[in-house]
Amino acid sequence: MTWEETIEKQRHFFAGGTTRKGAFRRRALERLRREILCREEEIFRALEADLGKSPVEAYAAEISQVLEEIRCQEKGLERWSRPRPVAASLAQQPGMGWRVPEPLGCVLVLSPWNYPFQLALCPAVAAIAAGNCVTIKPSRKSPATSRLLKELVEACFDPWYVQVLPTGEEINSAVLECRFDHIFFTGGTAAGRRVMAAAARFLTPVTLELGGKSPCLVDETADLPMAARRIAWGKWLNAGQTCVAPDYVLVQASVKDRLVEELKKAIRRQYTAFPCANSQYPRIVNRAQFDRLRGLLEGQRLLFDGGEEAGLLKMGPKLVDSPSWDSPLMKEEIFGPILPILPYRQLDQAIRWVRERPKPLALYLFTRSRAHQRQVWRELSFGGGCVNDTVIQLASPRLPFGGVGESGMGAYHGRAGFDAFTHYKSTLWRPAGWEIPLRYPPYSGRQLAVIRAVYEGRDRAAR
């Protein structure tokens, strides 16, 4: 059976209603959890083969996130699946409104290479919990993890319920020619536009988790050693190949030199003086990405250079001093271990620089000033972020994750993920034997007077 035929078979399976049963969904999530736990060592090996991730980073940033998502969906599944009562309006009396959650149908999850395990399974878990059939298309740039995902899913589910497609450029194009009830995409902005254009053919709704240049603001009140430790961790996690990594730092000029020195200390402490020789420091995914990052450094002045091992595709942390806003380094998402450091005089100037650019997926602020925090949160739009930390906002399924503007649309994690793959059907129940006849013609001035008096009376009471 081809994968195209399996997608059609998913439609027949979904129409049978099996996936709508709460017990069936819970059993599916439990099977997936058990299989992940059984294959933990295989997952470690696959992530090491694709990206050079250490077991600690693989577990903390990938496996644990999927397990936490499963726990959250299991806990909320029964409550979230119930119809929700809504008070009827005056015109609907007597009656009662309901919002009835129902699964969308057959959904497609297009996952990226940078967190190939987590970003394939977290949205799939939410789709399963919501009662859908799922097709996962992993990235061809992370072949070991893609193979493992296919084996893992096949051990848990029949393909007409959940399937993982083979990798390949021709599959990427062909799968978008198929009709789905929802498409969930994680990746770059340019690819997101292509996915949205393809989805428009069938008017398929999409969730787009994209990226962009996420700024990190550090003012003169910040705890600089702590800020440096947390910026270094968030930036060089997965060698900077993280969609919410700090893309550049805007630091108040009066503390720029001190922050740079603290960043150098943090890099050496976390990755040693020779990061590329450190087995716990990940590598760049492939030669094309490595060469792209090298190109971004042309003509730039380095404040710190962590070295390179081109044969191993390892590029150490690099701090760049005040690059031009017109340089390629500041025009595109870096998605690598390069961190530009730009000084600002007053917070208003930093806010203006961020606001002049597309809305970022994440924003980070290091400050002890409540006034500065309120100003940044009030004046800047971004997907999500942290005060006095980086990246860690993703660690909780209780905080929805998603972008705004060019950094994405829609959100997931926890309840938001369940809602992303659910349609809430609005229904109204009314009794059959009794009603107020005012709405029926022929109309008279008396009917208008009564209706107006009722609504104006409610309006006065509300005020």
Side-chain angles (χ1 to χ4, degrees):
M1 183 184 298
T2 66
W3 60 265
E4 295 98 330
E5 292 169 334
T6 302
I7 291 173
E8 193 57 37
K9 196 165 183 180
Q10 282 188 345
R11 297 203 167 278
H12 293 296
F13 182 65
F14 176 77
T18 302
T19 65
R20 296 172 181 262
K21 300 172 184 176
F24 178 84
R25 304 185 208 182
R26 282 191 293 274
R27 286 195 300 271
L29 294 175
E30 180 58 31
R31 282 199 303 274
L32 182 58
R33 187 215 326 276
R34 286 199 305 267
E35 197 66 27
I36 290 170
L37 294 173
C38 288
R39 292 175 179 259
E40 185 176 281
E41 290 299 324
E42 294 178 49
I43 299 167
F44 287 159
R45 288 195 294 271
L47 292 170
E48 197 282 330
D50 286 332
L51 291 152
K53 293 190 181 187
S54 69
V56 172
E57 188 168 320
Y59 189 86
E62 304 243 23
I63 297 173
S64 70
Q65 299 299 301
V66 178
L67 294 175
E68 182 65 18
E69 186 69 25
I70 291 173
R71 278 191 291 270
C72 184
Q73 294 292 339
E74 285 179 323
K75 184 177 180 180
L77 192 154
E78 183 177 354
R79 184 173 71 258
W80 301 338
S81 299
R82 294 174 189 153
R84 304 174 199 173
V86 179
S89 71
L90 182 63
Q92 295 168 335
Q93 297 293 346
M96 172 60 73
W98 297 88
R99 296 186 68 218
V100 182
E102 64 178 16
L104 294 173
C106 297
V107 305
L108 172 65
V109 174
L110 299 168
S111 62
W113 53 262
N114 60 327
Y115 290 87
F117 187 78
Q118 182 224 134
L119 294 178
L121 289 184
C122 277
V125 164
I128 290 168
N132 299 278
C133 293
V134 185
T135 293
I136 301 171
K137 172 61 185 70
S139 173
R140 70 184 187 280
K141 294 179 181 179
S142 50
T145 309
S146 295
R147 285 193 298 272
L148 180 136
L149 281 169
K150 187 170 179 61
E151 293 170 6
L152 186 151
V153 168
E154 287 177 350
C156 294
F157 309 115
D158 292 322
W160 50 87
Y161 177 33
V162 183
Q163 70 165 333
V164 175
L165 298 184
T167 59
E169 184 62 36
E170 68 285 354
I171 300 291
N172 288 355
S173 302
V175 74
L176 288 174
E177 296 297 315
C178 298
R179 181 171 64 88
F180 290 93
D181 298 295
H182 193 91
I183 296 176
F184 189 104
F185 171 79
T186 305
T189 302
R193 288 191 175 97
R194 292 194 294 272
V195 169
M196 195 169 182
R201 177 185 173 193
F202 298 109
L203 297 180
T204 303
V206 296
T207 300
L208 301 178
E209 300 299 344
L210 307 177
K213 299 189 73 63
S214 297
C216 180
L217 280 64
V218 182
D219 72 14
E220 61 187 3
T221 73
D223 181 331
L224 296 179
M226 180 202 71
R229 287 193 302 272
R230 295 180 178 180
I231 292 170
W233 175 79
K235 175 61 182 180
W236 290 291
L237 179 73
N238 200 26
Q241 299 167 117
T242 303
C243 60
V244 291
D247 196 86
Y248 60 98
V249 171
L250 297 175
V251 56
Q252 200 153 12
S254 58
V255 295
K256 177 193 170 187
D257 292 342
R258 287 171 54 203
L259 178 65
V260 169
E261 289 307 309
E262 292 295 341
L263 281 169
K264 292 177 183 178
K265 292 178 188 176
I267 292 167
R268 294 187 184 105
R269 189 180 303 116
Q270 293 179 28
Y271 300 108
T272 76
F274 305 99
C276 294
N278 185 343
S279 62
Q280 296 188 350
Y281 184 73
R283 66 169 174 271
I284 305 305
V285 66
N286 57 33
R287 173 62 60 179
Q289 289 293 328
F290 189 88
D291 291 342
R292 180 187 68 85
L293 291 167
R294 270 185 168 174
L296 294 179
L297 290 169
E298 290 180 4
Q300 301 295 342
R301 176 175 175 266
L302 295 183
L303 295 166
F304 179 86
D305 186 353
E308 294 177 3
E309 283 289 346
L312 299 175
L313 295 181
K314 284 200 169 187
M315 178 178 286
K318 300 180 189 298
L319 304 179
V320 178
D321 188 21
S322 304
S324 165
W325 287 104
D326 293 326
S327 67
L329 189 65
M330 297 305 296
K331 282 190 170 182
E332 62 182 81
E333 184 178 4
I334 295 170
F335 220 67
I338 304 166
L339 184 62
I341 311 289
L342 298 96
Y344 69 86
R345 296 292 177 187
Q346 299 297 327
L347 185 60
D348 289 345
Q349 181 185 36
I351 288 173
R352 185 176 70 253
W353 285 343
V354 175
R355 199 160 45 199
E356 286 172 350
R357 284 150 186 87
K359 296 176 182 179
L361 181 57
L363 182 142
Y364 306 109
L365 172 66
F366 286 86
T367 183
R368 286 191 177 101
S369 169
R370 292 290 183 89
H372 286 180
Q373 178 186 332
R374 287 193 295 268
Q375 183 180 0
V376 169
W377 256 231
R378 182 178 64 248
E379 297 185 18
L380 291 176
S381 178
F382 51 92
C386 296
V387 178
N388 295 323
D389 212 335
T390 64
V391 179
I392 202 72
Q393 73 272 18
L394 270 67
S396 172
R398 296 167 189 83
L399 280 176
F401 170 67
V404 59
E406 290 189 20
S407 62
M409 62 177 65
Y412 74 119
H413 287 181
R415 175 64 181 272
F418 184 93
D419 288 348
F421 295 103
T422 298
H423 169 63
Y424 287 90
K425 186 163 51 181
S426 297
T427 61
L428 177 70
W429 173 87
R430 301 198 70 212
W434 185 84
E435 64 180 346
I436 300 172
L438 284 172
R439 67 176 178 175
Y440 297 115
Y443 300 123
S444 68
R446 179 175 174 278
Q447 285 168 292
L448 177 60
V450 170
I451 293 170
R452 178 179 286 155
V454 170
Y455 276 97
E456 289 179 353
R458 286 170 64 95
D459 186 50
R460 284 193 298 272
R463 287 202 299 269

